PDB file of all heavy atoms in Angstrom:
ATOM      1  N   THR A  86       7.233   8.999  -3.842  1.00  0.00           N
ATOM      2  CA  THR A  86       7.419  10.297  -4.501  1.00  0.00           C
ATOM      3  C   THR A  86       7.197  10.178  -6.002  1.00  0.00           C
ATOM      4  O   THR A  86       6.572  11.052  -6.613  1.00  0.00           O
ATOM      5  CB  THR A  86       8.814  10.868  -4.192  1.00  0.00           C
ATOM      6  OG1 THR A  86       8.956  10.994  -2.774  1.00  0.00           O
ATOM      7  CG2 THR A  86       9.009  12.223  -4.843  1.00  0.00           C
ATOM      8  N   VAL A  87       7.676   9.089  -6.604  1.00  0.00           N
ATOM      9  CA  VAL A  87       7.434   8.863  -8.035  1.00  0.00           C
ATOM     10  C   VAL A  87       5.933   8.810  -8.287  1.00  0.00           C
ATOM     11  O   VAL A  87       5.415   9.459  -9.208  1.00  0.00           O
ATOM     12  CB  VAL A  87       8.122   7.573  -8.534  1.00  0.00           C
ATOM     13  CG1 VAL A  87       7.707   7.263  -9.965  1.00  0.00           C
ATOM     14  CG2 VAL A  87       9.637   7.694  -8.428  1.00  0.00           C
ATOM     15  N   MET A  88       5.208   8.079  -7.457  1.00  0.00           N
ATOM     16  CA  MET A  88       3.753   7.969  -7.620  1.00  0.00           C
ATOM     17  C   MET A  88       3.077   9.320  -7.402  1.00  0.00           C
ATOM     18  O   MET A  88       2.146   9.681  -8.119  1.00  0.00           O
ATOM     19  CB  MET A  88       3.190   6.915  -6.661  1.00  0.00           C
ATOM     20  CG  MET A  88       1.731   6.639  -6.858  1.00  0.00           C
ATOM     21  SD  MET A  88       1.374   5.934  -8.492  1.00  0.00           S
ATOM     22  CE  MET A  88      -0.389   5.748  -8.361  1.00  0.00           C
ATOM     23  N   GLN A  89       3.575  10.083  -6.445  1.00  0.00           N
ATOM     24  CA  GLN A  89       3.012  11.413  -6.200  1.00  0.00           C
ATOM     25  C   GLN A  89       3.197  12.305  -7.426  1.00  0.00           C
ATOM     26  O   GLN A  89       2.304  13.073  -7.778  1.00  0.00           O
ATOM     27  CB  GLN A  89       3.649  12.055  -4.979  1.00  0.00           C
ATOM     28  CG  GLN A  89       3.005  13.374  -4.596  1.00  0.00           C
ATOM     29  CD  GLN A  89       3.573  13.946  -3.314  1.00  0.00           C
ATOM     30  OE1 GLN A  89       4.549  13.453  -2.764  1.00  0.00           O
ATOM     31  NE2 GLN A  89       2.958  15.002  -2.840  1.00  0.00           N
ATOM     32  N   PHE A  90       4.322  12.198  -8.106  1.00  0.00           N
ATOM     33  CA  PHE A  90       4.538  12.958  -9.337  1.00  0.00           C
ATOM     34  C   PHE A  90       3.477  12.598 -10.376  1.00  0.00           C
ATOM     35  O   PHE A  90       2.907  13.471 -11.030  1.00  0.00           O
ATOM     36  CB  PHE A  90       5.929  12.708  -9.924  1.00  0.00           C
ATOM     37  CG  PHE A  90       7.074  13.275  -9.132  1.00  0.00           C
ATOM     38  CD1 PHE A  90       8.315  12.668  -9.174  1.00  0.00           C
ATOM     39  CD2 PHE A  90       6.928  14.408  -8.344  1.00  0.00           C
ATOM     40  CE1 PHE A  90       9.383  13.183  -8.457  1.00  0.00           C
ATOM     41  CE2 PHE A  90       7.985  14.930  -7.620  1.00  0.00           C
ATOM     42  CZ  PHE A  90       9.221  14.312  -7.678  1.00  0.00           C
ATOM     43  N   TYR A  91       3.223  11.292 -10.537  1.00  0.00           N
ATOM     44  CA  TYR A  91       2.202  10.854 -11.493  1.00  0.00           C
ATOM     45  C   TYR A  91       0.816  11.353 -11.099  1.00  0.00           C
ATOM     46  O   TYR A  91       0.050  11.820 -11.947  1.00  0.00           O
ATOM     47  CB  TYR A  91       2.177   9.326 -11.616  1.00  0.00           C
ATOM     48  CG  TYR A  91       3.270   8.776 -12.481  1.00  0.00           C
ATOM     49  CD1 TYR A  91       4.184   7.859 -11.977  1.00  0.00           C
ATOM     50  CD2 TYR A  91       3.392   9.155 -13.809  1.00  0.00           C
ATOM     51  CE1 TYR A  91       5.188   7.345 -12.770  1.00  0.00           C
ATOM     52  CE2 TYR A  91       4.398   8.643 -14.610  1.00  0.00           C
ATOM     53  CZ  TYR A  91       5.286   7.738 -14.079  1.00  0.00           C
ATOM     54  OH  TYR A  91       6.281   7.240 -14.871  1.00  0.00           O
ATOM     55  N   VAL A  92       0.483  11.259  -9.831  1.00  0.00           N
ATOM     56  CA  VAL A  92      -0.837  11.712  -9.364  1.00  0.00           C
ATOM     57  C   VAL A  92      -1.000  13.201  -9.643  1.00  0.00           C
ATOM     58  O   VAL A  92      -2.046  13.636 -10.136  1.00  0.00           O
ATOM     59  CB  VAL A  92      -1.031  11.376  -7.868  1.00  0.00           C
ATOM     60  CG1 VAL A  92      -2.250  12.096  -7.292  1.00  0.00           C
ATOM     61  CG2 VAL A  92      -1.175   9.866  -7.687  1.00  0.00           C
ATOM     62  N   ASP A  93       0.011  13.986  -9.344  1.00  0.00           N
ATOM     63  CA  ASP A  93      -0.073  15.425  -9.628  1.00  0.00           C
ATOM     64  C   ASP A  93      -0.186  15.698 -11.123  1.00  0.00           C
ATOM     65  O   ASP A  93      -0.945  16.565 -11.554  1.00  0.00           O
ATOM     66  CB  ASP A  93       1.141  16.158  -9.062  1.00  0.00           C
ATOM     67  CG  ASP A  93       0.969  16.538  -7.613  1.00  0.00           C
ATOM     68  OD1 ASP A  93      -0.128  16.320  -7.051  1.00  0.00           O
ATOM     69  OD2 ASP A  93       1.934  17.058  -7.018  1.00  0.00           O
ATOM     70  N   LEU A  94       0.572  14.960 -11.915  1.00  0.00           N
ATOM     71  CA  LEU A  94       0.524  15.137 -13.369  1.00  0.00           C
ATOM     72  C   LEU A  94      -0.872  14.856 -13.911  1.00  0.00           C
ATOM     73  O   LEU A  94      -1.419  15.645 -14.688  1.00  0.00           O
ATOM     74  CB  LEU A  94       1.549  14.220 -14.048  1.00  0.00           C
ATOM     75  CG  LEU A  94       1.549  14.222 -15.576  1.00  0.00           C
ATOM     76  CD1 LEU A  94       2.014  15.586 -16.092  1.00  0.00           C
ATOM     77  CD2 LEU A  94       2.441  13.115 -16.100  1.00  0.00           C
ATOM     78  N   PHE A  95      -1.459  13.744 -13.498  1.00  0.00           N
ATOM     79  CA  PHE A  95      -2.766  13.345 -14.026  1.00  0.00           C
ATOM     80  C   PHE A  95      -3.942  14.017 -13.321  1.00  0.00           C
ATOM     81  O   PHE A  95      -5.076  13.869 -13.761  1.00  0.00           O
ATOM     82  CB  PHE A  95      -2.913  11.824 -13.974  1.00  0.00           C
ATOM     83  CG  PHE A  95      -2.153  11.134 -15.062  1.00  0.00           C
ATOM     84  CD1 PHE A  95      -0.857  10.678 -14.852  1.00  0.00           C
ATOM     85  CD2 PHE A  95      -2.720  10.954 -16.315  1.00  0.00           C
ATOM     86  CE1 PHE A  95      -0.144  10.056 -15.857  1.00  0.00           C
ATOM     87  CE2 PHE A  95      -2.012  10.331 -17.340  1.00  0.00           C
ATOM     88  CZ  PHE A  95      -0.721   9.887 -17.103  1.00  0.00           C
ATOM     89  N   SER A  96      -3.684  14.764 -12.262  1.00  0.00           N
ATOM     90  CA  SER A  96      -4.780  15.403 -11.529  1.00  0.00           C
ATOM     91  C   SER A  96      -5.535  16.423 -12.383  1.00  0.00           C
ATOM     92  O   SER A  96      -6.715  16.659 -12.173  1.00  0.00           O
ATOM     93  CB  SER A  96      -4.265  16.079 -10.257  1.00  0.00           C
ATOM     94  OG  SER A  96      -3.449  17.194 -10.565  1.00  0.00           O
ATOM     95  N   ARG A  97      -4.876  16.988 -13.354  1.00  0.00           N
ATOM     96  CA  ARG A  97      -5.520  17.999 -14.188  1.00  0.00           C
ATOM     97  C   ARG A  97      -6.177  17.405 -15.432  1.00  0.00           C
ATOM     98  O   ARG A  97      -6.783  18.124 -16.216  1.00  0.00           O
ATOM     99  CB  ARG A  97      -4.515  19.069 -14.593  1.00  0.00           C
ATOM    100  CG  ARG A  97      -3.864  19.703 -13.386  1.00  0.00           C
ATOM    101  CD  ARG A  97      -4.016  21.150 -13.122  1.00  0.00           C
ATOM    102  NE  ARG A  97      -4.854  21.953 -13.930  1.00  0.00           N
ATOM    103  CZ  ARG A  97      -5.869  22.672 -13.441  1.00  0.00           C
ATOM    104  NH1 ARG A  97      -6.170  22.620 -12.165  1.00  0.00           N
ATOM    105  NH2 ARG A  97      -6.575  23.433 -14.226  1.00  0.00           N
TER     106      ARG A  97
END
Side-chain angles (χ1 to χ4, degrees):
T86 302
V87 172
M88 186 63 180
Q89 186 175 8
F90 291 151
Y91 281 122
V92 168
D93 275 355
L94 176 67
F95 283 93
S96 68
R97 304 241 5 123

